[in-house]
Amino acid sequence: VVNASMTFCSNLYTHLMIDSNDNGVIIINANNIDVDCSGASIGGDRTAGSFGISISGKSNVSIQGCAITNYSSYGIYSPSGNNVSLINNTIYNNVEYGVGFDTVSNYTINKSSIYGNGLSGIFAGVRSGTISNNTFHSNSNYGIRLTGSTANSTIEWNIIYNNTLSGIHGNSAQNVTFRNNTIYNNKQQGIEWFSSSANATIVENTIYNNTLNGIFFQSTSDNNVTRNNITSNILAGINISTTVSRTIIY
């Protein structure tokens, strides 16, 4: 349990076990906390329900310089919080998700590498924040999965590739800007935006060599697709399916 800011020694911590309540190995238990792992690796043993770092209902929390692997549910999990920053972390080979954020606002995920997780790199229901300058690859579902509570967010300057489903998946998300991302070699779409998602701005991205479409729209409205480089996707660069309205492409 962490009640004050801390810095790790740069060693390897393996087979750390969750506590009996399944709350996480490192539990952030106060506001205004900075955790600097200094490159230390935190490794679990895939115990069911485990996650490496838990941040619940706290504000002004920063996690940086951590390598987190081999947890069952999430490498880092925050069911709620405000001003939560994940910076320069490597989160990989967790059974389900690398990062899980639910109803987190004013968030930052920056300069991290998130790969090889059994479901998605990030599973997020987030508001008013940025996912930028990260690499997402080789996750078994999506690189980034945005759920219905996601709104007012910016996804920019990320490299997203070789994910088993799509690079970015938006389901009922609202008001998201995708800018200057490089998205390629995903096994379905580069970006898929559907199921009542709306108000996407997709601008100046490079999207290529995805197995289905570069961008796929379905059951969505009020989107703007501008100045993207979309090439060599197997089915189509942009595929507009059923019940799509007020979407501008130029």
Side-chain angles (χ1 to χ4, degrees):
V1 176
V2 177
N3 291 300
S5 295
M6 61 182 292
T7 300
F8 279 42
C9 297
S10 55
N11 295 313
L12 177 68
Y13 300 85
T14 59
H15 300 294
L16 295 178
M17 299 293 293
I18 58 172
D19 68 342
S20 60
N21 293 316
D22 291 347
N23 290 324
V25 169
I26 298 172
I27 305 168
I28 306 302
N29 198 45
N31 298 322
N32 306 310
I33 296 292
D34 296 322
V35 174
D36 186 349
C37 290
S38 303
S41 295
I42 302 170
D45 65 358
R46 302 196 165 206
T47 298
S50 62
F51 35 93
I53 297 177
S54 171
I55 309 161
S56 182
K58 305 305 177 187
S59 297
N60 306 317
V61 175
S62 174
I63 308 294
Q64 61 180 322
C66 302
I68 303 172
T69 187
N70 270 342
Y71 290 95
S72 173
S73 294
Y74 302 92
I76 298 176
Y77 179 55
S78 182
S80 60
N82 183 53
N83 290 324
V84 176
S85 298
L86 309 182
I87 301 170
N88 195 30
N89 299 291
T90 301
I91 306 170
Y92 66 103
N93 290 355
N94 297 286
V95 176
E96 294 184 355
Y97 302 98
V99 175
F101 276 3
D102 297 326
T103 63
V104 175
S105 59
N106 302 309
Y107 68 95
T108 300
I109 301 172
N110 180 246
K111 295 182 180 178
S112 295
S113 181
I114 303 176
Y115 66 90
N117 298 287
L119 293 178
S120 299
I122 292 179
F123 181 91
V126 287
R127 293 182 180 275
S128 303
T130 302
I131 299 172
S132 63
N133 294 289
N134 305 286
T135 300
F136 301 91
H137 71 89
S138 307
N139 298 288
S140 294
N141 280 4
Y142 307 103
I144 300 172
R145 181 178 179 182
L146 305 175
T147 67
S149 55
T150 296
N152 305 321
S153 294
T154 299
I155 316 296
E156 63 181 356
W157 296 108
N158 300 286
I159 300 173
I160 305 169
Y161 66 97
N162 282 356
N163 297 286
T164 302
L165 297 182
S166 298
I168 299 173
H169 168 91
N171 187 332
S172 302
Q174 308 284 324
N175 300 311
V176 179
T177 296
F178 304 96
R179 180 170 53 221
N180 292 119
N181 300 287
T182 300
I183 306 171
Y184 65 97
N185 285 1
N186 298 287
K187 300 303 185 288
Q188 291 188 357
Q189 333 289 343
I191 298 173
E192 58 184 21
W193 190 248
F194 69 102
S195 189
S196 301
S197 294
N199 298 107
T201 299
I202 303 174
V203 58
E204 295 182 348
N205 300 281
T206 299
I207 306 172
Y208 65 95
N209 283 357
N210 297 285
T211 301
L212 297 181
N213 304 288
I215 302 173
F216 178 70
F217 290 114
Q218 186 176 52
S219 301
T220 178
S221 64
D222 300 293
N223 305 296
N224 193 318
V225 182
T226 310
R227 300 189 306 276
N228 297 281
N229 183 10
I230 305 173
T231 62
S232 301
N233 299 283
I234 303 304
L235 290 185
I238 301 173
N239 187 337
I240 298 177
S241 187
T242 57
T243 60
V244 174
S245 62
R246 298 185 301 277
T247 291
I248 300 171
I249 300 170
Y250 63 95

PDB file of all heavy atoms in Angstrom, residues 129-156:
ATOM      1  N   GLY A 129      -8.521  13.548 -21.789  1.00  0.00           N
ATOM      2  CA  GLY A 129      -7.122  13.193 -21.634  1.00  0.00           C
ATOM      3  C   GLY A 129      -6.480  12.854 -22.954  1.00  0.00           C
ATOM      4  O   GLY A 129      -7.060  13.031 -24.034  1.00  0.00           O
ATOM      5  N   THR A 130      -5.235  12.349 -22.868  1.00  0.00           N
ATOM      6  CA  THR A 130      -4.415  12.123 -24.042  1.00  0.00           C
ATOM      7  C   THR A 130      -3.682  10.792 -23.945  1.00  0.00           C
ATOM      8  O   THR A 130      -3.118  10.454 -22.902  1.00  0.00           O
ATOM      9  CB  THR A 130      -3.384  13.262 -24.195  1.00  0.00           C
ATOM     10  OG1 THR A 130      -4.066  14.519 -24.277  1.00  0.00           O
ATOM     11  CG2 THR A 130      -2.552  13.069 -25.448  1.00  0.00           C
ATOM     12  N   ILE A 131      -3.682  10.055 -25.050  1.00  0.00           N
ATOM     13  CA  ILE A 131      -2.832   8.879 -25.240  1.00  0.00           C
ATOM     14  C   ILE A 131      -1.875   9.244 -26.365  1.00  0.00           C
ATOM     15  O   ILE A 131      -2.295   9.394 -27.518  1.00  0.00           O
ATOM     16  CB  ILE A 131      -3.664   7.637 -25.595  1.00  0.00           C
ATOM     17  CG1 ILE A 131      -4.657   7.308 -24.474  1.00  0.00           C
ATOM     18  CG2 ILE A 131      -2.770   6.439 -25.868  1.00  0.00           C
ATOM     19  CD1 ILE A 131      -5.646   6.205 -24.816  1.00  0.00           C
ATOM     20  N   SER A 132      -0.591   9.420 -26.049  1.00  0.00           N
ATOM     21  CA  SER A 132       0.316   9.982 -27.048  1.00  0.00           C
ATOM     22  C   SER A 132       1.716   9.377 -26.957  1.00  0.00           C
ATOM     23  O   SER A 132       2.194   9.004 -25.886  1.00  0.00           O
ATOM     24  CB  SER A 132       0.417  11.498 -26.878  1.00  0.00           C
ATOM     25  OG  SER A 132       0.972  11.835 -25.621  1.00  0.00           O
ATOM     26  N   ASN A 133       2.342   9.282 -28.139  1.00  0.00           N
ATOM     27  CA  ASN A 133       3.744   8.861 -28.244  1.00  0.00           C
ATOM     28  C   ASN A 133       4.005   7.487 -27.638  1.00  0.00           C
ATOM     29  O   ASN A 133       5.063   7.244 -27.039  1.00  0.00           O
ATOM     30  CB  ASN A 133       4.670   9.904 -27.594  1.00  0.00           C
ATOM     31  CG  ASN A 133       4.662  11.219 -28.333  1.00  0.00           C
ATOM     32  OD1 ASN A 133       5.202  11.323 -29.440  1.00  0.00           O
ATOM     33  ND2 ASN A 133       4.013  12.224 -27.757  1.00  0.00           N
ATOM     34  N   ASN A 134       3.048   6.590 -27.791  1.00  0.00           N
ATOM     35  CA  ASN A 134       3.194   5.215 -27.315  1.00  0.00           C
ATOM     36  C   ASN A 134       3.315   4.255 -28.489  1.00  0.00           C
ATOM     37  O   ASN A 134       3.003   4.592 -29.626  1.00  0.00           O
ATOM     38  CB  ASN A 134       1.962   4.803 -26.492  1.00  0.00           C
ATOM     39  CG  ASN A 134       1.691   5.754 -25.353  1.00  0.00           C
ATOM     40  OD1 ASN A 134       2.389   5.763 -24.361  1.00  0.00           O
ATOM     41  ND2 ASN A 134       0.659   6.594 -25.501  1.00  0.00           N
ATOM     42  N   THR A 135       3.743   3.035 -28.176  1.00  0.00           N
ATOM     43  CA  THR A 135       3.739   1.945 -29.141  1.00  0.00           C
ATOM     44  C   THR A 135       2.832   0.834 -28.625  1.00  0.00           C
ATOM     45  O   THR A 135       2.976   0.388 -27.484  1.00  0.00           O
ATOM     46  CB  THR A 135       5.158   1.395 -29.354  1.00  0.00           C
ATOM     47  OG1 THR A 135       6.002   2.438 -29.836  1.00  0.00           O
ATOM     48  CG2 THR A 135       5.146   0.263 -30.375  1.00  0.00           C
ATOM     49  N   PHE A 136       1.886   0.406 -29.466  1.00  0.00           N
ATOM     50  CA  PHE A 136       0.977  -0.697 -29.150  1.00  0.00           C
ATOM     51  C   PHE A 136       1.141  -1.752 -30.240  1.00  0.00           C
ATOM     52  O   PHE A 136       0.862  -1.483 -31.405  1.00  0.00           O
ATOM     53  CB  PHE A 136      -0.482  -0.227 -29.148  1.00  0.00           C
ATOM     54  CG  PHE A 136      -0.777   0.873 -28.168  1.00  0.00           C
ATOM     55  CD1 PHE A 136      -0.685   2.202 -28.546  1.00  0.00           C
ATOM     56  CD2 PHE A 136      -1.165   0.576 -26.871  1.00  0.00           C
ATOM     57  CE1 PHE A 136      -0.958   3.219 -27.651  1.00  0.00           C
ATOM     58  CE2 PHE A 136      -1.453   1.586 -25.970  1.00  0.00           C
ATOM     59  CZ  PHE A 136      -1.346   2.906 -26.357  1.00  0.00           C
ATOM     60  N   HIS A 137       1.567  -2.936 -29.852  1.00  0.00           N
ATOM     61  CA  HIS A 137       1.704  -3.956 -30.877  1.00  0.00           C
ATOM     62  C   HIS A 137       1.527  -5.362 -30.304  1.00  0.00           C
ATOM     63  O   HIS A 137       1.702  -5.606 -29.114  1.00  0.00           O
ATOM     64  CB  HIS A 137       3.057  -3.844 -31.590  1.00  0.00           C
ATOM     65  CG  HIS A 137       4.243  -4.243 -30.757  1.00  0.00           C
ATOM     66  ND1 HIS A 137       4.711  -5.543 -30.695  1.00  0.00           N
ATOM     67  CD2 HIS A 137       5.065  -3.516 -29.969  1.00  0.00           C
ATOM     68  CE1 HIS A 137       5.766  -5.600 -29.920  1.00  0.00           C
ATOM     69  NE2 HIS A 137       5.997  -4.389 -29.447  1.00  0.00           N
ATOM     70  N   SER A 138       1.130  -6.263 -31.185  1.00  0.00           N
ATOM     71  CA  SER A 138       1.066  -7.702 -30.890  1.00  0.00           C
ATOM     72  C   SER A 138       0.146  -8.026 -29.723  1.00  0.00           C
ATOM     73  O   SER A 138       0.362  -9.028 -29.025  1.00  0.00           O
ATOM     74  CB  SER A 138       2.479  -8.248 -30.622  1.00  0.00           C
ATOM     75  OG  SER A 138       3.358  -7.924 -31.680  1.00  0.00           O
ATOM     76  N   ASN A 139      -0.875  -7.199 -29.503  1.00  0.00           N
ATOM     77  CA  ASN A 139      -1.916  -7.551 -28.538  1.00  0.00           C
ATOM     78  C   ASN A 139      -2.948  -8.436 -29.229  1.00  0.00           C
ATOM     79  O   ASN A 139      -3.212  -8.297 -30.423  1.00  0.00           O
ATOM     80  CB  ASN A 139      -2.561  -6.284 -27.983  1.00  0.00           C
ATOM     81  CG  ASN A 139      -1.542  -5.436 -27.244  1.00  0.00           C
ATOM     82  OD1 ASN A 139      -1.103  -5.774 -26.161  1.00  0.00           O
ATOM     83  ND2 ASN A 139      -1.135  -4.313 -27.856  1.00  0.00           N
ATOM     84  N   SER A 140      -3.569  -9.341 -28.471  1.00  0.00           N
ATOM     85  CA  SER A 140      -4.386 -10.383 -29.094  1.00  0.00           C
ATOM     86  C   SER A 140      -5.796  -9.939 -29.457  1.00  0.00           C
ATOM     87  O   SER A 140      -6.496 -10.687 -30.135  1.00  0.00           O
ATOM     88  CB  SER A 140      -4.451 -11.619 -28.182  1.00  0.00           C
ATOM     89  OG  SER A 140      -3.169 -12.198 -28.090  1.00  0.00           O
ATOM     90  N   ASN A 141      -6.239  -8.768 -29.024  1.00  0.00           N
ATOM     91  CA  ASN A 141      -7.454  -8.161 -29.562  1.00  0.00           C
ATOM     92  C   ASN A 141      -7.085  -6.833 -30.223  1.00  0.00           C
ATOM     93  O   ASN A 141      -6.663  -6.802 -31.356  1.00  0.00           O
ATOM     94  CB  ASN A 141      -8.522  -7.975 -28.485  1.00  0.00           C
ATOM     95  CG  ASN A 141      -9.290  -9.254 -28.191  1.00  0.00           C
ATOM     96  OD1 ASN A 141      -8.999 -10.308 -28.734  1.00  0.00           O
ATOM     97  ND2 ASN A 141     -10.274  -9.171 -27.330  1.00  0.00           N
ATOM     98  N   TYR A 142      -7.227  -5.737 -29.501  1.00  0.00           N
ATOM     99  CA  TYR A 142      -7.007  -4.408 -30.059  1.00  0.00           C
ATOM    100  C   TYR A 142      -5.771  -3.756 -29.432  1.00  0.00           C
ATOM    101  O   TYR A 142      -5.421  -4.032 -28.287  1.00  0.00           O
ATOM    102  CB  TYR A 142      -8.216  -3.510 -29.780  1.00  0.00           C
ATOM    103  CG  TYR A 142      -9.534  -4.102 -30.215  1.00  0.00           C
ATOM    104  CD1 TYR A 142     -10.404  -4.650 -29.291  1.00  0.00           C
ATOM    105  CD2 TYR A 142      -9.891  -4.115 -31.558  1.00  0.00           C
ATOM    106  CE1 TYR A 142     -11.609  -5.207 -29.688  1.00  0.00           C
ATOM    107  CE2 TYR A 142     -11.101  -4.665 -31.962  1.00  0.00           C
ATOM    108  CZ  TYR A 142     -11.952  -5.217 -31.028  1.00  0.00           C
ATOM    109  OH  TYR A 142     -13.143  -5.766 -31.420  1.00  0.00           O
ATOM    110  N   GLY A 143      -5.163  -2.859 -30.183  1.00  0.00           N
ATOM    111  CA  GLY A 143      -4.135  -2.032 -29.576  1.00  0.00           C
ATOM    112  C   GLY A 143      -4.736  -1.113 -28.529  1.00  0.00           C
ATOM    113  O   GLY A 143      -4.313  -1.094 -27.376  1.00  0.00           O
ATOM    114  N   ILE A 144      -5.770  -0.354 -28.936  1.00  0.00           N
ATOM    115  CA  ILE A 144      -6.503   0.549 -28.043  1.00  0.00           C
ATOM    116  C   ILE A 144      -7.990   0.246 -28.193  1.00  0.00           C
ATOM    117  O   ILE A 144      -8.523   0.282 -29.312  1.00  0.00           O
ATOM    118  CB  ILE A 144      -6.244   2.024 -28.389  1.00  0.00           C
ATOM    119  CG1 ILE A 144      -4.747   2.356 -28.274  1.00  0.00           C
ATOM    120  CG2 ILE A 144      -7.074   2.949 -27.505  1.00  0.00           C
ATOM    121  CD1 ILE A 144      -4.392   3.739 -28.783  1.00  0.00           C
ATOM    122  N   ARG A 145      -8.669  -0.007 -27.079  1.00  0.00           N
ATOM    123  CA  ARG A 145     -10.109  -0.239 -27.092  1.00  0.00           C
ATOM    124  C   ARG A 145     -10.783   0.844 -26.267  1.00  0.00           C
ATOM    125  O   ARG A 145     -10.554   0.954 -25.049  1.00  0.00           O
ATOM    126  CB  ARG A 145     -10.451  -1.613 -26.534  1.00  0.00           C
ATOM    127  CG  ARG A 145     -11.939  -1.908 -26.554  1.00  0.00           C
ATOM    128  CD  ARG A 145     -12.252  -3.295 -26.041  1.00  0.00           C
ATOM    129  NE  ARG A 145     -13.690  -3.540 -26.045  1.00  0.00           N
ATOM    130  CZ  ARG A 145     -14.265  -4.659 -25.604  1.00  0.00           C
ATOM    131  NH1 ARG A 145     -13.510  -5.643 -25.130  1.00  0.00           N
ATOM    132  NH2 ARG A 145     -15.570  -4.786 -25.642  1.00  0.00           N
ATOM    133  N   LEU A 146     -11.618   1.656 -26.904  1.00  0.00           N
ATOM    134  CA  LEU A 146     -12.324   2.760 -26.255  1.00  0.00           C
ATOM    135  C   LEU A 146     -13.787   2.385 -26.084  1.00  0.00           C
ATOM    136  O   LEU A 146     -14.463   2.051 -27.051  1.00  0.00           O
ATOM    137  CB  LEU A 146     -12.206   4.030 -27.101  1.00  0.00           C
ATOM    138  CG  LEU A 146     -10.791   4.478 -27.448  1.00  0.00           C
ATOM    139  CD1 LEU A 146     -10.830   5.676 -28.381  1.00  0.00           C
ATOM    140  CD2 LEU A 146      -9.995   4.808 -26.184  1.00  0.00           C
ATOM    141  N   THR A 147     -14.284   2.473 -24.854  1.00  0.00           N
ATOM    142  CA  THR A 147     -15.648   2.059 -24.549  1.00  0.00           C
ATOM    143  C   THR A 147     -16.580   3.260 -24.466  1.00  0.00           C
ATOM    144  O   THR A 147     -16.184   4.404 -24.662  1.00  0.00           O
ATOM    145  CB  THR A 147     -15.681   1.284 -23.227  1.00  0.00           C
ATOM    146  OG1 THR A 147     -15.362   2.177 -22.154  1.00  0.00           O
ATOM    147  CG2 THR A 147     -14.693   0.136 -23.238  1.00  0.00           C
ATOM    148  N   GLY A 148     -17.834   2.999 -24.106  1.00  0.00           N
ATOM    149  CA  GLY A 148     -18.890   3.988 -24.166  1.00  0.00           C
ATOM    150  C   GLY A 148     -18.720   5.193 -23.277  1.00  0.00           C
ATOM    151  O   GLY A 148     -19.306   6.237 -23.539  1.00  0.00           O
ATOM    152  N   SER A 149     -17.928   5.103 -22.218  1.00  0.00           N
ATOM    153  CA  SER A 149     -17.745   6.277 -21.367  1.00  0.00           C
ATOM    154  C   SER A 149     -16.575   7.152 -21.819  1.00  0.00           C
ATOM    155  O   SER A 149     -16.266   8.161 -21.186  1.00  0.00           O
ATOM    156  CB  SER A 149     -17.527   5.852 -19.909  1.00  0.00           C
ATOM    157  OG  SER A 149     -16.450   4.955 -19.790  1.00  0.00           O
ATOM    158  N   THR A 150     -15.945   6.803 -22.931  1.00  0.00           N
ATOM    159  CA  THR A 150     -14.835   7.611 -23.450  1.00  0.00           C
ATOM    160  C   THR A 150     -15.367   8.853 -24.151  1.00  0.00           C
ATOM    161  O   THR A 150     -16.235   8.767 -25.022  1.00  0.00           O
ATOM    162  CB  THR A 150     -13.974   6.793 -24.416  1.00  0.00           C
ATOM    163  OG1 THR A 150     -13.363   5.721 -23.699  1.00  0.00           O
ATOM    164  CG2 THR A 150     -12.887   7.654 -25.035  1.00  0.00           C
ATOM    165  N   ALA A 151     -14.818  10.015 -23.793  1.00  0.00           N
ATOM    166  CA  ALA A 151     -15.209  11.269 -24.439  1.00  0.00           C
ATOM    167  C   ALA A 151     -14.104  12.294 -24.268  1.00  0.00           C
ATOM    168  O   ALA A 151     -13.296  12.224 -23.331  1.00  0.00           O
ATOM    169  CB  ALA A 151     -16.514  11.803 -23.841  1.00  0.00           C
ATOM    170  N   ASN A 152     -14.062  13.254 -25.207  1.00  0.00           N
ATOM    171  CA  ASN A 152     -13.173  14.409 -25.095  1.00  0.00           C
ATOM    172  C   ASN A 152     -11.715  13.991 -24.897  1.00  0.00           C
ATOM    173  O   ASN A 152     -11.016  14.469 -24.004  1.00  0.00           O
ATOM    174  CB  ASN A 152     -13.624  15.320 -23.948  1.00  0.00           C
ATOM    175  CG  ASN A 152     -15.068  15.737 -24.078  1.00  0.00           C
ATOM    176  OD1 ASN A 152     -15.545  16.018 -25.179  1.00  0.00           O
ATOM    177  ND2 ASN A 152     -15.792  15.742 -22.972  1.00  0.00           N
ATOM    178  N   SER A 153     -11.265  13.095 -25.766  1.00  0.00           N
ATOM    179  CA  SER A 153      -9.919  12.548 -25.656  1.00  0.00           C
ATOM    180  C   SER A 153      -9.164  12.732 -26.960  1.00  0.00           C
ATOM    181  O   SER A 153      -9.763  12.853 -28.034  1.00  0.00           O
ATOM    182  CB  SER A 153      -9.978  11.068 -25.289  1.00  0.00           C
ATOM    183  OG  SER A 153     -10.516  10.889 -23.998  1.00  0.00           O
ATOM    184  N   THR A 154      -7.828  12.714 -26.865  1.00  0.00           N
ATOM    185  CA  THR A 154      -6.956  12.822 -28.022  1.00  0.00           C
ATOM    186  C   THR A 154      -6.019  11.630 -28.058  1.00  0.00           C
ATOM    187  O   THR A 154      -5.348  11.328 -27.068  1.00  0.00           O
ATOM    188  CB  THR A 154      -6.148  14.129 -27.981  1.00  0.00           C
ATOM    189  OG1 THR A 154      -7.050  15.244 -27.993  1.00  0.00           O
ATOM    190  CG2 THR A 154      -5.223  14.230 -29.184  1.00  0.00           C
ATOM    191  N   ILE A 155      -5.970  10.966 -29.212  1.00  0.00           N
ATOM    192  CA  ILE A 155      -5.072   9.841 -29.454  1.00  0.00           C
ATOM    193  C   ILE A 155      -4.107  10.307 -30.538  1.00  0.00           C
ATOM    194  O   ILE A 155      -4.505  10.478 -31.701  1.00  0.00           O
ATOM    195  CB  ILE A 155      -5.841   8.591 -29.934  1.00  0.00           C
ATOM    196  CG1 ILE A 155      -7.129   8.351 -29.120  1.00  0.00           C
ATOM    197  CG2 ILE A 155      -4.943   7.374 -29.951  1.00  0.00           C
ATOM    198  CD1 ILE A 155      -6.914   8.038 -27.677  1.00  0.00           C
ATOM    199  N   GLU A 156      -2.832  10.542 -30.200  1.00  0.00           N
ATOM    200  CA  GLU A 156      -1.946  11.148 -31.186  1.00  0.00           C
ATOM    201  C   GLU A 156      -0.505  10.650 -31.055  1.00  0.00           C
ATOM    202  O   GLU A 156      -0.041  10.275 -29.985  1.00  0.00           O
ATOM    203  CB  GLU A 156      -1.969  12.671 -31.060  1.00  0.00           C
ATOM    204  CG  GLU A 156      -1.470  13.212 -29.744  1.00  0.00           C
ATOM    205  CD  GLU A 156      -1.548  14.729 -29.672  1.00  0.00           C
ATOM    206  OE1 GLU A 156      -1.920  15.367 -30.678  1.00  0.00           O
ATOM    207  OE2 GLU A 156      -1.227  15.276 -28.602  1.00  0.00           O
TER     208      GLU A 156
END
